[in-house]
């Protein structure tokens, strides 16, 4: 049965590598976001529809990691690559003028991802460890969003919400997630635990570029493709 793979984040690492190795055919809505675990729950609860007529009221510019970015307040999604940046790497001053075009893009990606999940015979989702620090969660997210994201059962909640929203026994691959998060899903069917190993074969010679080495990601994708779970 043909498998269709999707990235749920929590950043662009998995989406990049899925495309790099020709495994993911089309971009998904969450490929280039910084996503807390709460945000992924929210995406499933809303079936990947984040665009509304009041989108401009839900977006704010915030500081993160020595630069700035745009956050979607209802979901807590960090739209790090959605808006143009200036020569110094900061969001352009007139970023709000780009909102209509950004909305058009993410409505299209959300609709396409939802339809693909509904129609694909065997959809499989990749999630990596939560890259947003607890300090940034407390600073950028609402207290409720931060609390959910830090819970040991956050990934369990993601999986349960996904299966409820789409009424399918959707499958998940968890890459380098924390041990306490793994323990909460060990008894679930359709969940595979993977670990990324680095051997010095890095993207563009940079050990931090897109989350590590090519060989490690290639091995993960091959194991998943050849596995039954």
């Amino acid at each position: 049965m043909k498998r269709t793979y999707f990235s749920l984040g929590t950043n662009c690492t998995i989406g990049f590598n899925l495309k790099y190795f020709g495994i993911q055919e089309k971009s998904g809505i969450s490929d280039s976001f910084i996503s807390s675990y709460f945000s992924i729950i929210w995406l499933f609860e809303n079936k990947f529809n984040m665009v509304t007529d009041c989108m401009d009221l839900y977006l704010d510019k915030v500081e993160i990691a020595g630069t700035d970015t745009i956050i979607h307040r209802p979901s807590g999604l960090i739209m790090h690559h959605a808006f143009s940046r200036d020569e110094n790497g900061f969001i352009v001053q007139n970023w709000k003028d780009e909102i209509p075009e950004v909305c058009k893009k993410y409505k299209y990606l959300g609709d396409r991802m939802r339809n693909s999940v509904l129609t694909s015979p065997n959809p499989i989702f990749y999630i990596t460890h939560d890259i947003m620090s607890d300090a940034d969660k407390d600073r950028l997210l609402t207290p409720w969003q931060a609390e959910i994201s830090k819970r040991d059962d956050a990934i369990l909640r993601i999986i349960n919400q996904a299966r409820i929203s789409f009424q399918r026994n959707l499958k998940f691959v968890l890459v380098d997630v924390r041990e306490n998060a793994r323990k909460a899903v060990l008894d679930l069917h359709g969940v595979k635990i993977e670990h990324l190993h680095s051997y010095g074969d890095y993207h563009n010679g940079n050990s931090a570029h897109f989350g590590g080495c090519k060989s490690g990601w290639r091995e993960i994708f091959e194991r998943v493709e050849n596995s039954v779970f």
Side-chain angles (χ1 to χ4, degrees):
M1 183 182 296
K2 178 177 172 56
R3 297 176 173 184
T4 305
Y5 296 100
F6 302 92
S7 168
L8 294 173
T10 58
N11 64 355
C12 58
T13 299
I14 292 178
F16 174 85
N17 282 282
L18 286 170
K19 294 182 185 71
Y20 185 91
F21 289 103
I23 296 170
Q24 180 176 302
E25 298 175 356
K26 297 178 180 179
S27 297
I29 190 171
S30 54
D31 288 3
S32 58
F33 292 150
I34 297 175
S35 309
S36 68
Y37 287 154
F38 172 87
S39 299
I40 300 174
I41 296 170
W42 188 96
L43 282 173
F44 274 119
E45 188 175 16
N46 290 274
K47 296 185 178 179
F48 307 116
N49 179 24
M50 65 179 296
V51 175
T52 68
D53 292 338
C54 300
M55 193 73 165
D56 59 315
L57 302 178
Y58 298 144
L59 301 178
D60 285 328
K61 185 192 291 188
V62 295
E63 295 181 2
I64 187 171
T67 183
D68 57 10
T69 193
I70 304 299
I71 187 170
H72 177 250
R73 289 296 184 187
S75 64
L77 287 163
I78 306 296
M79 304 174 69
H80 207 53
H81 301 288
F83 293 86
S84 300
R85 294 181 176 272
D86 62 23
E87 62 276 9
N88 297 313
F90 290 91
I91 300 292
V92 294
Q93 292 297 313
N94 63 333
W95 65 273
K96 291 186 177 180
D97 295 340
E98 299 181 359
I99 291 178
E101 200 59 32
V102 168
C103 287
K104 182 179 178 181
K105 172 183 177 181
Y106 287 106
K107 184 179 189 313
Y108 172 77
L109 289 176
D111 289 347
R112 185 171 71 181
M113 190 163 174
R114 177 173 60 256
N115 291 335
S116 186
V117 174
L118 288 169
T119 59
S120 297
N122 195 10
I124 298 175
F125 297 90
Y126 276 86
I127 305 176
T128 189
H129 60 280
D130 192 347
I131 68 159
M132 188 184 296
S133 69
D134 286 351
D136 277 341
K137 291 188 190 78
D138 292 336
R139 184 172 61 87
L140 298 175
L141 304 180
T142 68
W144 176 246
Q145 292 170 346
E147 178 186 343
I148 292 296
S149 296
K150 290 186 284 187
R151 289 179 61 107
D152 290 347
D153 65 350
I155 290 179
L156 176 62
R157 289 169 178 261
I158 289 172
I159 295 171
N160 287 340
Q161 183 62 61
R163 292 174 174 176
I164 290 169
S165 292
F166 286 95
Q167 298 183 355
R168 301 185 65 178
N169 188 31
L170 298 173
K171 298 175 182 177
F172 291 79
V173 180
L174 313 182
V175 181
D176 285 351
V177 301
R178 296 174 306 186
E179 182 180 1
N180 54 348
R182 294 198 305 270
K183 288 181 177 178
V185 299
L186 286 179
D187 295 330
L188 289 185
H189 293 291
V191 178
K192 186 171 177 57
I193 309 295
E194 284 289 348
H195 301 280
L196 178 65
H197 299 286
S198 297
Y199 305 107
D201 181 18
Y202 298 107
H203 288 299
N204 298 337
N206 186 336
S207 61
H209 196 191
F210 296 112
C213 70
K214 290 184 285 188
S215 298
W217 282 109
R218 182 188 297 112
E219 291 177 0
I220 285 177
F221 296 146
E222 288 176 351
R223 285 196 298 270
V224 171
E225 182 67 18
N226 294 327
S227 66
V228 177
F229 73 102

